[in-house]
Amino acid sequence: MTPRAVPRTAVVAIGGNALLRGGTHATVAEQVEAARRLASPVVALADTGWRVVVTHGNGPQVGFIKRRADLAAALAPELPALGLDMCVADSQGGLGHILATAIAGRLRSLGRADDRVAALITHTVVDAHDEAFGHPTKPIGAFYPAARARELADLHGWAVAEEGERGWRRVVPSPRPRRVLETESVRALSSAGFTVIAAGGGGIPLVEGDAGYQGVEAVIDKDLTSAHLAAELGADLLVITTAVERVAVDYGRPTQRFLDRLTCVEAERLLAQGQFPPGSMGPKISAALDFLRGAPGRQVLITSPQQLGAALDGHGGTWLESDPARTTAEPLNGTVTAGRPQ
């Protein structure tokens, strides 16, 4: 396919679990291999003329980092305690390294001399009075049986919550993103031809006060930050990867039905009906709606990492758009009719 004369921007949000296909305790080598698989559709999208910005989650990893730091404190109390803001920064460095080398390696394997990839430490400003600080909902770290989760909660003062059949996890505050400090840096790098990795883990959480910026105990939802960053960049496409190939209604019931396409109106109605729970698909649909409401002509793709390449070619995933009557016939990697993949 001939690349577009005027590059358009796509933000691709990769979940933290997508790098843990070997399980919640996947080794670094397994995460590197998962990143290599993810690099192929990302590079394929860039090869069709898109400027690509990659964001990533860190829910499991940031919990592991925090747990490791807490355990080390008992053995070496002279080490400084790590707050969640520092743990997010730590995860940005590690996961940014894994993703950047995977994408650059894929470019090099294709004989591309312009293997320009930049992993950018990114800060996200939140409201110090966000109600999320009083109602933690963001799961981080490993899954535990109920008894062990309650034991850890009593021991460390955690809030814990059940996540279906997978078990219980620690939950922390997840305030809404208000501003990404490095937006203009992302824009400049992307315009210069770099594939940019940014807003890892939703961004390092900061509040702004009279003395400047200060880190806070929170982990921001990466999909909400990705949607915010995509809107600020004027992106045309937001891709959100998740554990399932497509969005479904009546998920897990005999009446379950997968959806190929959704308009904003349809998505808002189903969200209000409780079809997309807060702990699973709800934040992704909310993020998609935030992005789509910003301007006409935008699109959102929700699919699994394994199906990302096929979905970008128009074969799978759930596509959301604001205007069902849009007639732009520009494809992504494959064929699009009336603005929708076939």
Side-chain angles (χ1 to χ4, degrees), residues 147-310:
R148 179 58 175 162
R150 295 190 184 100
E151 179 184 347
L152 290 169
D154 291 340
L155 182 63
H156 300 290
W158 292 358
V160 295
E162 187 177 14
E163 284 198 62
E165 296 179 353
R166 293 181 292 179
W168 290 66
R169 294 173 80 185
R170 181 184 179 185
V171 290
V172 299
S174 184
R176 288 187 66 86
R178 299 297 180 185
R179 182 160 56 97
V180 176
L181 290 187
E182 289 78 12
T183 296
E184 292 309 313
S185 298
V186 175
R187 192 192 313 278
L189 286 165
S190 181
S191 297
F194 284 82
T195 297
V196 185
I197 300 162
I204 302 166
L206 301 177
V207 294
E208 187 174 7
D210 295 337
Y213 297 107
Q214 180 178 350
V216 290
E217 288 292 289
V219 176
I220 305 166
D221 184 86
K222 73 101 175 38
D223 293 318
L224 291 178
T225 300
S226 299
H228 182 89
L229 178 62
E232 289 297 305
L233 293 173
D236 306 276
L237 172 67
L238 172 63
V239 179
I240 298 175
T241 66
T242 184
V244 293
E245 177 186 344
R246 287 177 291 168
V247 176
V249 292
D250 293 345
Y251 185 73
R253 304 173 190 168
T255 52
Q256 175 177 300
R257 178 169 54 91
F258 286 107
L259 305 174
D260 295 325
R261 307 179 184 109
L262 276 173
T263 65
C264 275
V265 172
E266 292 166 340
E268 287 170 342
R269 175 175 55 82
L270 292 170
L271 185 64
Q273 291 174 356
Q275 285 284 354
F276 309 126
S280 57
M281 192 59 69
K284 302 179 191 309
I285 296 296
S286 294
L289 289 170
D290 284 352
F291 176 66
L292 291 173
R293 291 188 191 106
R298 293 175 175 173
Q299 289 183 298
V300 175
L301 167 63
I302 299 177
T303 192
S304 68
Q306 297 84 357
Q307 289 296 122
L308 178 55

Side-chain angles (χ1 to χ4, degrees), residues 12-27 30-32 34-35 38 54-64 91-92 95-96 98-99 138-141 143 166 169 199-202 219-223 226 240-243 284 305-306:
V12 180
I14 296 171
N17 283 302
L19 298 173
L20 296 172
R21 290 183 64 184
T24 56
H25 298 287
T27 65
E30 288 168 333
Q31 293 185 66
V32 168
L38 287 163
V54 177
T55 64
H56 64 84
N58 69 347
Q61 293 90 345
V62 76
F64 302 155
S91 72
Q92 282 192 5
L95 294 176
I98 289 173
L99 288 166
K138 175 68 175 176
I140 64 171
F143 292 91
R166 293 181 292 179
R169 294 173 80 185
V219 176
I220 305 166
D221 184 86
K222 73 101 175 38
D223 293 318
S226 299
I240 298 175
T241 66
T242 184
K284 302 179 191 309
Q306 297 84 357

Side-chain angles (χ1 to χ4, degrees), residues 97-138:
H97 156 64
I98 289 173
L99 288 166
T101 52
I103 293 169
R106 177 61 179 169
L107 289 166
R108 180 58 60 91
S109 72
L110 295 174
R112 293 271 295 273
D114 57 337
D115 54 347
R116 291 181 290 179
V117 183
L120 188 65
I121 296 296
T122 313
H123 303 81
T124 302
V125 179
V126 302
D127 185 347
H129 303 291
D130 193 301
E131 64 180 15
F133 286 108
H135 300 88
T137 58
K138 175 68 175 176

